[in-house]
Amino acid sequence: MTEQNAAGDSARQKLIDDPRAIRHRLKSLSKDLWWSWNEIGRRPFAMLDPELWEAVRYSPFRLLQKVDPNVYNSRLSEPSFREVAARAITAHQDYHSRRTWYEANTEPGADPLRIAYFCSEYAIHESLPQYAGGLGVLAGDHLKSASDLGLPLVAVGLLYQHGYYKQEFRDDGTTRVIYPSFDFDSMPLDDTGVRLDCPIGDRTVRVRVWAMSMGRVPLYLLDANLPGNRVEDRALTASLYQGDDDIRLQRQVLLGVGGFRALRLLEEVPTVIHLNEGHAAFAAVAKMAELVRGGLSMDDARERVRASTVFTTHTPVPAGNQRYDAGKIEAALAQVTEPAGMHNGYVANLGREEPGNEKEAPCMTVLALNLAERVNGVSKLHGDVSRNMWKKVYGTEDVDQVPIKHITNGVHTGTWMAPVAERFWSEQIGYDSLGGPDNPCWAKIPTVDPEAFWQLRNALRRRLLSFVRRRLAIQSRRRGESPDRVVRSRRMLRDDALTIGFARRFATYKRATLLFHDLDRLASIVGNDDLPVQVIFAGKAHPADEGGQAVAQEIHDLCRDPRFDGRIVLLENYDIEIGRRLTSGCDLWLNTPRRPFEASGTSGMKPPLHGGINCSISDGWWVEAENNQNGWTIGSDRAADNEDEQDHLDAASMYDLLEHKIIPSFWDRNDDDLPEEWIKTALQSAASVPAWFNTDRMVAEYLEWGYRPASLIQA
Ligand SMILES: *Cc1c(COP(=O)(O)O)cnc(C)c1O
């Protein structure tokens, strides 16, 4: 035992003997979202009151607020509880005191770097439904890796009173949209004490700034729901992406201008601004106005802002590249731009592909492109697509001249890897959650024992299925279905069947219904009891997206078709918990977007952390990951003339793969009942995907390509 370990052990022993200190320290631990990506940090809370733990959606903070004091006291009197608590507390302490990757990789005396990261949504944990989908998941994972690596980063966002909606299906398959109302006192937030008046149009909106601790990274969240504000202004932070264009525009002023001013009042002096998606582009406008008022010329100010801003564009889908009326933008920003002399449609023109073309409605993406020197798409293919899409902004037809590059998205390994898988990889290949961007453990996959691996897979699938059955029974009971059906839900699905997962936002380009393209063919696939196959769906559509809502309804109805009933199921309310459980337990992860609209996608990066396998259209991140041995790629070489033909070709290719490759591989067993071929592919998946498609690698790329060079220009 090293001296350091000995010292750690004795500190822990002292804690174990001190229930009062444990109580005190668990309280501060519950306010650091570090627990959302470190299972050791959640363990004492889960143990404290297991039933309440589920009821509070696994929030340590909420649990401590609600736990019966007698229950807590009696737990504290148990040495075994104090031991688990002390382990969590010391792990948390070690996390904050250890030398970070960033420190180890930064020259002493290097120019100070301070990154301000702006995003309109953050997905951190299921107890905080402040996100709609992939953008939020990516932002949450970015912060977790920034904290793990020790980057000097602060984050800015909005705190939504109602978050994103909770989804329930009515009997006819339509969606009931439920907006919960959050009590911010029941969330792990600190009031920073900072209040500001955010100028929007000709008025100001009073804003409160909250802070949430993401390990080493502070996340500042703006809240406009204050008593002195007009009702409409209070509603600006009511819920995600709700409201008409005017409201969205004002909300983006709040995020960009309000967020930038909040940093000033918090005495944060960022040397770099990272705009994660165009929603926050007004932060760069606010910074430019500040520089002009400080005495710089307009051109110098703009150049300074450009040089110190990083912008990530996230989607080629038009709805994700919002345009607003030029006059409305000018009016909304007047109090910011007028005093800086940014007159005559200055900002509107920065948002145009053709400056001066009054017919063109300014676009937030273009504005961000014009105010950021370092711009990236989120996969190699999306980099290509973006260069082509935005070449006009750079005044060229030659895509090679367009200075947009790519940094492929990743997932935060510790957040998405199930604890049983983490234990397995630790034992088998020496996995370490703080291994940094070049985590070498994945190269050791060939040494993994196939039989032990198959046991892990079976255990993960069983765990998932018992969760799915529980959820189906709850759904069934809530709808008042007959007791027979409720009981049946509890018995549906098989523990040993090839389990296929499809969970994502039901945006139409994702083609969630492609699997149902040929109902007879699908029926023969899932109806073959010699080679059992089952499918689990989950997904939400934006409440205002009628096409997406129709997709949800169609899948809902098809699940009740007698041919699919009990073999294809749909879970309500896709969220982080469902995402985590499905991606850990499913054998096969299906992804069928219409190429090239899935800019990256990240859900498919999660199953390989558990030896799950992808079957995907060649789109987004998968283009870079596929290697013929680690999964299956849908699609033929034939180019289609139109969308219908494309759907037809892709569906046929998908069925062929299922019938001739995937299902036989899963069900071809050796004398020990092991699917040798399947295991080989699964281990290839684990060997090739997590090593690169993780946010430690991604954040390290942002650091070297974006943050460090951009920071050399002092703010
Ligand atoms: C991973 C994840 C996403 C992002 O996945 P996509 O591949 O972009 O669909 C979205 N929502 C949840 C809940 C997730 O876990």
Side-chain angles (χ1 to χ4, degrees):
M1 186 186 286
T2 66
E3 264 171 50
Q4 206 183 351
N5 280 347
D9 281 354
S10 96
R12 190 159 74 228
Q13 195 53 51
K14 253 171 91 186
L15 246 185
I16 293 174
D17 296 337
D18 188 350
R20 279 186 54 195
I22 287 184
R23 186 195 291 270
H24 179 70
R25 302 279 291 274
L26 283 183
K27 186 151 189 216
S28 32
L29 171 53
S30 77
K31 295 191 78 169
D32 184 346
L33 273 289
W34 170 83
W35 53 253
S36 70
W37 69 96
N38 289 278
E39 196 255 341
I40 194 172
R42 294 192 297 272
R43 230 175 279 163
F45 302 99
M47 203 171 162
L48 196 46
D49 184 340
E51 233 171 86
L52 183 60
W53 180 238
E54 259 198 73
V56 297
R57 305 290 292 132
Y58 322 108
S59 161
F61 185 77
R62 194 84 187 110
L63 183 102
L64 289 188
Q65 280 186 330
K66 299 198 74 163
V67 69
D68 178 337
N70 295 324
V71 172
Y72 199 176
N73 285 333
S74 108
R75 276 281 185 257
L76 277 171
S77 71
E78 295 166 16
S80 60
F81 173 76
R82 297 202 304 270
E83 161 93 36
V84 170
R87 277 188 193 281
I89 291 162
T90 47
H92 183 230
Q93 191 172 17
D94 291 349
Y95 180 85
H96 280 276
S97 59
R98 73 187 219 294
R99 182 174 155 83
T100 66
W101 175 90
Y102 178 77
E103 284 167 324
N105 287 279
T106 301
E107 307 257 329
D111 287 324
L113 168 65
R114 192 86 185 153
I115 307 141
Y117 181 91
F118 283 76
C119 190
S120 58
E121 57 170 297
Y122 293 91
I124 296 159
H125 185 256
E126 55 262 35
S127 61
L128 300 164
Q130 298 272 323
Y131 59 92
L135 180 70
V137 172
L138 185 82
D141 283 8
H142 192 112
L143 302 193
K144 291 169 184 177
S145 274
S147 172
D148 288 349
L149 299 178
L151 258 66
L153 183 143
V154 301
V156 180
L158 301 177
L159 185 63
Y160 301 96
Q161 189 66 51
H162 304 283
Y164 197 52
Y165 79 96
K166 181 167 177 250
Q167 173 198 51
E168 285 182 3
F169 289 114
R170 298 191 185 88
D171 221 28
D172 65 358
T174 55
T175 295
R176 180 177 295 130
V177 172
I178 302 163
Y179 278 99
S181 188
F182 296 108
D183 173 4
F184 293 159
D185 290 335
S186 73
M187 287 158 67
L189 294 165
D190 278 316
D191 186 340
T192 60
V194 167
R195 301 286 181 279
L196 62 100
D197 294 309
C198 180
I200 301 180
D202 56 9
R203 62 189 199 281
T204 58
V205 176
R206 191 84 179 145
V207 175
R208 182 197 334 236
V209 185
W210 298 91
M212 195 146 77
S213 295
M214 298 284 296
R216 295 162 164 274
V217 167
L219 167 58
Y220 297 114
L221 296 166
L222 276 56
D223 163 19
N225 188 14
L226 300 186
N229 285 334
R230 303 189 320 180
V231 178
E232 308 89 280
D233 291 340
R234 293 182 69 160
L236 287 175
T237 51
S239 56
L240 276 136
Y241 309 125
Q242 284 274 80
D244 59 19
D245 270 8
D246 290 350
I247 294 171
R248 284 165 188 252
L249 174 61
Q250 292 172 31
R251 191 181 292 131
Q252 294 183 359
V253 175
L254 190 65
L255 175 62
V257 176
F260 184 75
R261 294 205 172 175
L263 291 178
R264 287 288 181 255
L265 293 169
L266 290 158
E267 293 175 23
E268 290 285 354
V269 185
T271 57
V272 181
I273 288 179
H274 185 171
L275 305 173
N276 194 46
E277 192 54 310
H279 304 129
F282 295 143
V285 174
K287 180 168 172 180
M288 183 176 159
E290 184 189 89
L291 289 170
V292 173
R293 291 179 73 183
L296 281 193
S297 74
M298 208 96 106
D299 288 348
D300 286 351
R302 184 176 157 201
E303 203 30 60
R304 188 99 145 239
V305 168
R306 257 176 53 79
S308 58
T309 303
V310 172
F311 169 49
T312 305
T313 177
H314 281 269
T315 181
V317 176
N321 294 283
Q322 275 165 321
R323 290 182 184 269
Y324 295 111
D325 176 78
K328 287 187 173 168
I329 291 185
E330 292 292 312
L333 290 172
Q335 289 186 66
V336 179
T337 51
E338 288 300 320
M342 294 156 79
H343 302 301
N344 303 330
Y346 187 90
V347 175
N349 273 328
L350 283 176
R352 287 185 171 122
E353 293 175 66
E354 259 184 273
N357 175 2
E358 308 244 318
K359 289 206 196 92
E360 183 189 345
C363 172
M364 294 301 283
T365 308
V366 177
L367 181 63
L369 292 172
N370 277 317
L371 289 175
E373 186 173 321
R374 291 172 182 79
V375 178
N376 70 292
V378 289
S379 71
K380 187 165 182 292
L381 178 63
H382 181 234
D384 288 339
V385 170
S386 302
R387 280 187 288 280
N388 196 43
M389 192 166 165
W390 302 114
K391 59 191 179 210
K392 218 166 161 187
V393 176
Y394 299 91
T396 177
E397 275 300 308
D398 178 3
V399 287
D400 292 337
Q401 299 292 316
V402 178
I404 299 178
K405 62 159 267 164
H406 75 272
I407 291 181
T408 303
N409 283 346
V411 292
H412 182 267
T413 310
T415 298
W416 298 103
M417 192 189 281
V420 281
E422 181 163 345
R423 278 192 291 281
F424 179 83
W425 298 126
S426 306
E427 282 162 23
Q428 295 266 338
I429 58 173
Y431 168 77
D432 167 12
S433 68
L434 293 175
D438 306 307
N439 211 328
C441 69
W442 301 107
K444 297 188 206 134
I445 290 272
T447 65
V448 168
D449 172 30
E451 192 168 343
F453 172 72
W454 190 240
Q455 278 168 15
L456 169 73
R457 288 293 329 147
N458 287 330
L460 285 164
R461 188 184 326 99
R462 266 199 309 275
R463 231 175 104 249
L464 165 67
L465 290 165
S466 86
F467 168 78
V468 171
R469 289 185 197 107
R470 216 161 53 231
R471 282 289 175 98
L472 289 173
I474 292 170
Q475 286 176 208
S476 179
R477 206 173 314 123
R478 201 205 62 239
R479 293 158 145 212
E481 286 176 357
S482 69
D484 284 2
R485 271 208 74 96
V486 179
V487 170
R488 214 178 137 258
S489 304
R490 285 210 203 94
R491 303 216 183 99
M492 253 187 216
L493 307 166
R494 298 175 49 146
D495 278 346
D496 63 346
L498 166 58
T499 302
I500 302 176
F502 186 106
R504 37 184 53 84
R505 277 184 310 114
F506 284 147
T508 41
Y509 77 86
K510 295 193 186 238
R511 293 193 298 187
T513 53
L514 195 75
L515 187 67
F516 299 98
H517 192 81
D518 180 340
L519 293 179
D520 292 335
R521 206 159 163 194
L522 179 61
S524 84
I525 290 172
V526 299
N528 180 350
D529 287 332
D530 294 333
L531 307 172
V533 176
Q534 59 201 8
V535 189
I536 305 167
F537 274 97
K540 282 183 185 175
H542 188 283
D545 173 7
E546 286 171 21
Q549 293 293 347
V551 168
Q553 184 172 13
E554 192 179 343
I555 295 174
H556 173 275
D557 293 350
L558 283 163
C559 287
R560 296 194 157 188
D561 183 312
R563 291 173 293 180
F564 306 125
D565 190 18
R567 299 170 196 262
I568 303 181
V569 299
L570 173 61
L571 294 181
E572 286 177 339
N573 203 36
Y574 178 42
D575 72 345
I576 289 183
E577 184 185 14
I578 291 183
R580 212 176 40 234
R581 289 184 182 267
L582 282 179
T583 54
S584 63
C586 285
D587 300 291
L588 190 81
W589 197 249
L590 189 63
N591 182 38
T592 53
R594 187 168 278 131
R595 182 178 157 119
F597 289 107
E598 190 64 277
S600 167
T602 55
S603 59
M605 302 172 189
K606 300 163 189 171
L609 296 168
H610 311 86
I613 307 177
N614 278 279
C615 173
S616 173
I617 295 281
S618 188
D619 196 10
W621 75 282
W622 182 243
V623 177
E624 292 157 67
E626 59 188 328
N627 68 9
N628 279 321
Q629 292 165 34
N630 60 354
W632 292 277
T633 299
I634 302 166
S636 64
D637 295 337
R638 259 182 64 199
D641 293 333
N642 56 51
E643 286 189 347
D644 285 346
E645 193 189 341
Q646 189 69 59
D647 292 354
H648 188 73
L649 288 174
D650 289 344
S653 160
M654 172 183 61
Y655 292 130
D656 283 344
L657 284 173
L658 284 168
E659 288 164 349
H660 304 304
K661 299 259 166 69
I662 295 171
I663 297 169
S665 164
F666 186 87
W667 281 112
D668 181 19
R669 303 296 166 97
N670 71 10
D671 295 343
D672 299 322
D673 199 31
L674 294 181
E676 285 178 354
E677 275 305 308
W678 183 274
I679 291 174
K680 228 163 102 187
T681 310
L683 287 173
Q684 284 285 347
S685 173
S688 58
V689 175
W692 182 256
F693 299 93
N694 66 76
T695 41
D696 281 359
R697 181 274 310 158
M698 179 189 87
V699 166
E701 277 198 75
Y702 277 109
L703 177 67
E704 291 315 322
W705 160 78
Y707 303 153
R708 275 203 166 115
S711 175
L712 292 176
I713 310 296
Q714 283 302 303

